[in-house]
Amino acid sequence: MCGIIGYVGKQDAMPVLVGGLRRMEYRGYDSAGIALVSGGHTAVVKRKGKITNLADALTAKKPTGMTGIGHTRWATHGVPNEVNAHPHQAGHITIVHNGIIENYADLKERLIKDHGRKFESETDTEVLAHLISVKREKDESLEAAVLSALLEVEGTFAVLVLDERDPDKIVAARRGSPLLVGIADDAIFLASDATAVIGHTDRVVYMEDDEIAICTPGKYEIIDFKAQHKRHEEQQIKLELKAIEKAGYDHFLLKEIMEQPKTIADILRGRLDLDAGTSHLGGLNTDPKFYQQMTRFLTIGCGTAYYAGLLGQYLLERMTGLPVDVEFASEFRYREPVVNGHTLGMIVTQSGETADTLASLRELKRRGTRTLGLVNVVGSSVAREVDGGVYLHAGPEISVASTKAFTAQVIAQILVGLQIGRSRKLSATDGKAIVRALEALPAQVQSILDQHERIKAISAKFADAKNVMYLGRDALYPVALEGALKLKEISYIHTEAYPAGEMKHGPVALIDEELPIVYFHPKNDLYDKTRSNLEEVRARGGRLIIVGTEGDESLKEFSDDVIYIPDAHAYTQPILANIPMQLFAYYVAVSRGTDVDQPRNLAKSVTVE
Ligand code: AGP
């Protein structure tokens, strides 16, 4: 999703802007640009493609200025090219924008008809620039013009606005797309996320929807759309620079896969109670009586977060005895949801900014549903709007493909399941067994990661595959779905995932000697059932990659490509089974030469519908 950066202060703004854009590359983009104001003039430099193209152009042009804005664009309206890249200008006004102006066509028609405005690009953003420019002709201040323009806008925005006649000011506004204000003694920073300001300041405030920030060197003021002054509590960013660097790995994705023993330990720290066989979660903000009266979970998420919720369904139903419904946020938000005061809405999201997920949260709250967020990014919109929450503590997840966050999202649901389950049907004995299983996870995950060379060798055999099928049963079916998504999104190989028992109802027709099939067959209660499905696959000649339990030598009769995971509790086994799939997808993608950390067409946080 688009990345936005702004700086107004006493230093040359360009290095701050370019550095901030580089920090936000992970969000996914197809063009980039900056604007600098100096001496009553605005210099705009923008290029299609990677930030290196922009940096080369800046080296040649050497624009200067102590006030500036920058943008990485993930195309919504208009193809990725230099004309459609941000910043966009209209007269003295220059803007960058993340979001969608839904009524841009009507506004554009009016600007052309009533004000004779001419447009260069296909973007909705350029329409907003002209609207602000028209308002500025009669409004006494830039902030008044921005407010007046945004009151006519339908849609979402995080927008930074410059007026070259007011060179020491940036006016910012947000609705539906993230925007924070970074505070330093002699400068103000504006950014889509905290990674862009690390190293410049650790003091931030997070803007809320329908707010405007008026920023000058070292000072800012926030007003709402009724022009009322707003105050937000300053937060301290706890991220360090090394958390957003590759630390010697070839890709962020490999770093984030390999650091899971640490991130698992981080999410568990201080939250396990072995004696009572339960968890301690500080942020639930829920009266335990609610857990006695609640009648169901409704879990909502997108992509990997949705699959984590699907896996949680198998675990939470067993831990709590409550039904768990799991919904794609993009579907849920437009249905007539059947929820009531006894439903616990669980919002699963790494970024906390996914538009469909955020909209679903707001729909649940409108219907009086209690909400619980399982979120990684501190201070994100979802984290600030849910009734209670469990932070994932997975650290910044820079690679577009989500790996360590998936693991943390599943663990967070087990922690919630312990807390609620132990207040309902889960016995202390069963709770203790789950706590022990969680405590064993970091070392068990490490033992799988130590097999990375073997997994790399197996992946090399399948780098030219055109299709891959993933089959798993029960709690391993969501793992099959997640494994299929991982391979699909970073290697561009077509993948499908099915419950193993479902294969004979159609998908078995796809199986031939060419088709690689990832088959989850660890030791568990359904082992014998899963074996018979495996026999059906072998009988039709599929190229099997089997994930099984250490010591199960029988699997070698079916394939040379068996990846072993440690024997584990039924609730942590799916987490372990997913780890080799992350590495498998990574190595296949690397051998195919795709852009592993920023796969084509994808964005890290989809803040538009
Ligand atoms: C997963 O690898 C993808 N990057 C994508 O499906 C992602 O999980 C989805 O967009 C949800 O993002 P969120 O967790 O930040 O809400």
Side-chain angles (χ1 to χ4, degrees), residues 215-267:
C215 307
T216 53
K219 287 203 291 296
Y220 73 99
E221 182 197 358
I222 293 180
I223 59 174
D224 64 18
F225 276 21
K226 296 189 179 68
Q228 300 300 310
H229 185 74
K230 296 291 291 289
R231 269 197 61 70
H232 291 311
E233 191 188 334
E234 234 180 68
Q235 316 259 340
Q236 188 190 15
I237 303 175
K238 297 216 171 23
L239 294 177
E240 290 156 21
L241 219 38
K242 69 177 179 357
I244 58 169
E245 290 171 341
K246 286 182 192 165
Y249 287 98
D250 291 342
H251 299 97
F252 281 109
L253 183 55
L254 185 58
K255 174 190 175 204
E256 288 154 13
I257 292 170
M258 289 300 191
E259 65 188 3
Q260 288 179 102
K262 176 187 175 307
T263 55
I264 293 169
D266 289 346
I267 187 172

Side-chain angles (χ1 to χ4, degrees), residues 25 58 145 160 184 321 352 410 440 447 478 488 588:
E25 283 194 277
L58 289 166
L160 305 183
V410 178
S447 72
K488 170 186 302 157
V588 168

Side-chain angles (χ1 to χ4, degrees), residues 7-44:
Y7 172 85
V8 54
K10 302 294 185 198
Q11 295 171 25
D12 183 9
M14 188 171 68
V16 176
L17 300 178
V18 175
L21 292 181
R22 286 194 193 286
R23 295 268 186 78
M24 293 189 288
E25 283 194 277
Y26 76 94
R27 298 170 65 87
Y29 69 105
D30 41 51
S31 58
I34 71 165
L36 291 166
V37 175
S38 175
H41 174 67
T42 308
V44 174

Side-chain angles (χ1 to χ4, degrees), residues 140-391:
E140 71 287 356
S141 72
L142 181 57
E143 53 268 28
V146 171
L147 177 54
S148 166
L150 292 178
L151 288 174
E152 296 184 23
V153 160
E154 292 158 23
T156 58
F157 46 80
V159 61
L160 305 183
V161 185
L162 293 176
D163 180 337
E164 60 197 7
R165 297 162 297 185
D166 209 346
D168 295 333
K169 183 185 280 186
I170 297 176
V171 173
R174 85 150 266 180
R175 176 190 290 161
S177 293
L179 197 56
L180 62 83
V181 179
I183 303 137
D185 294 344
D186 63 352
I188 291 294
F189 302 80
L190 293 147
S192 304
D193 72 48
T195 55
V197 301
I198 295 175
H200 297 300
T201 181
D202 63 356
R203 297 165 54 201
V204 293
V205 292
Y206 295 94
M207 293 179 67
E208 305 277 349
D209 279 355
D210 290 3
E211 287 183 345
I212 285 178
I214 303 126
C215 307
T216 53
K219 287 203 291 296
Y220 73 99
E221 182 197 358
I222 293 180
I223 59 174
D224 64 18
F225 276 21
K226 296 189 179 68
Q228 300 300 310
H229 185 74
K230 296 291 291 289
R231 269 197 61 70
H232 291 311
E233 191 188 334
E234 234 180 68
Q235 316 259 340
Q236 188 190 15
I237 303 175
K238 297 216 171 23
L239 294 177
E240 290 156 21
L241 219 38
K242 69 177 179 357
I244 58 169
E245 290 171 341
K246 286 182 192 165
Y249 287 98
D250 291 342
H251 299 97
F252 281 109
L253 183 55
L254 185 58
K255 174 190 175 204
E256 288 154 13
I257 292 170
M258 289 300 191
E259 65 188 3
Q260 288 179 102
K262 176 187 175 307
T263 55
I264 293 169
D266 289 346
I267 187 172
L268 293 175
R269 188 167 296 109
R271 288 171 158 173
L272 292 179
D273 180 340
L274 180 59
D275 291 342
T278 188
S279 64
H280 292 305
L281 297 171
L284 295 186
N285 299 336
T286 303
D287 178 341
K289 279 208 265 335
F290 174 81
Y291 300 141
Q292 303 296 337
Q293 294 148 10
M294 71 180 272
T295 54
R296 79 195 254 251
F297 290 88
L298 174 57
T299 304
I300 294 176
C302 298
T304 285
Y306 170 82
Y307 295 140
L310 213 52
L311 174 46
Q313 177 184 48
Y314 287 86
L315 311 182
L316 287 168
E317 286 184 340
R318 288 168 177 147
M319 295 175 83
T320 67
L322 288 168
V324 180
D325 295 314
V326 190
E327 300 271 1
F328 283 112
S330 54
E331 287 295 306
F332 174 80
R333 64 182 293 190
Y334 293 114
R335 285 189 23 214
E336 280 305 316
V338 180
V339 290
N340 59 35
H342 297 303
T343 298
L344 178 59
M346 201 151 61
I347 310 298
V348 186
T349 171
Q350 190 284 129
S351 64
E353 300 297 350
T354 301
D356 289 321
T357 306
L358 187 56
S360 297
L361 165 61
R362 290 170 177 169
E363 185 59 28
L364 281 175
K365 291 181 75 172
R366 267 191 288 277
R367 293 168 184 263
T369 304
R370 183 151 199 80
T371 56
L372 178 66
L374 307 185
V375 189
N376 194 37
V377 176
V378 175
S380 58
S381 300
V382 168
R384 286 182 286 122
E385 296 186 24
V386 287
D387 297 313
V390 178
Y391 272 127

